[in-house]
Amino acid sequence: MTEEDVADLRQSLGKFATGVTVVTCRGDRGPCGITANSFSSVSLDPPLVLWNIAKVSHSLSAYLEAEYFAINVLGADQRDLSHHFAQSDHTVFNGIEYNSSDHGVPILLGTIACFECRTRQVHECGDHYIIIGEVERFRSNDGEPLLFYSGDYLRHGDKVGS
Ligand SMILES: Cc1cc2nc3c(=O)[nH]c(=O)nc-3n(C[C@H](O)[C@H](O)[C@H](O)COP(=O)(O)O)c2cc1C
């Protein structure tokens, strides 16, 4: 594919509106968090979910080695958290409030849902790895979701496609 084709593909893929999550784990050098919208449910029995991480991510090794991770689903008022964990230096948890799971994985506060997972499978796939986890604990709260569409966040009431 040409560079132009890749840009067109990216734009077309962006037409699929998603929620936004921060995937957290406990790395050798401390807590890690990365903004990800590749989260998807896979199976209810057993309860499996997946997300994808880019091979170029600075925290790739932490997630590939992590036995446990958590999917923190962001609410509409958590855009700052999404920005924070989309930076390259997203291993820094300074100023970020969180609890720790029984396995030491950071659990962000004020999210609308959280899935604590044990890593089950890792698949190398193109320029990403697919990470599949079994949900061991989960919870959800009321609240509007943070939504991502066409490369930007959607505000409540925004007209999609305009
Ligand atoms: C809304 C949104 C969704 C993202 N989804 C993913 C994703 O699913 N997987 C991924 O590897 N990076 C994703 N990213 C990019 C990472 O959050 C991060 O910007 C990137 O990994 C840069 O840091 P790093 O190179 O140190 O990992 C997303 C970014 C944003 C803003």
Side-chain angles (χ1 to χ4, degrees), residues 7 13 24 33 42 51 59 64 85 89 93 113 115 120 122 127 153:
L13 291 170
T24 51
V42 176
W51 70 290
S59 34
L64 292 186
F85 287 105
D89 195 14
F93 267 73
F115 303 91
R120 281 294 173 210
V122 176
D127 54 12
Y153 300 96

Side-chain angles (χ1 to χ4, degrees), residues 60-131:
L60 178 68
S61 59
Y63 287 97
L64 292 186
E65 285 161 21
E67 191 177 351
Y68 299 95
F69 65 90
I71 305 280
N72 300 269
V73 183
L74 300 186
D77 58 349
Q78 295 185 304
R79 201 185 298 205
D80 288 353
L81 273 185
S82 177
H83 280 307
H84 180 87
F85 287 105
Q87 297 166 45
S88 234
D89 195 14
H90 48 61
T91 51
V92 174
F93 267 73
N94 289 352
I96 302 291
E97 289 193 324
Y98 66 94
N99 293 323
S100 287
S101 76
D102 292 349
H103 303 293
V105 176
I107 306 296
L108 300 181
L109 307 184
T111 60
I112 58 169
C114 180
F115 303 91
E116 293 179 34
C117 304
R118 183 180 198 135
T119 304
R120 281 294 173 210
Q121 295 175 32
V122 176
H123 298 281
E124 189 179 356
C125 200
D127 54 12
H128 279 63
Y129 282 87
I130 301 170
I131 298 180

Side-chain angles (χ1 to χ4, degrees), residues 34-38 52-54 57-58 85-88 90 148 153:
I34 181 170
T35 300
N37 67 344
S38 53
N52 306 328
I53 184 166
S57 171
H58 290 92
F85 287 105
Q87 297 166 45
S88 234
H90 48 61
F148 197 71
Y153 300 96

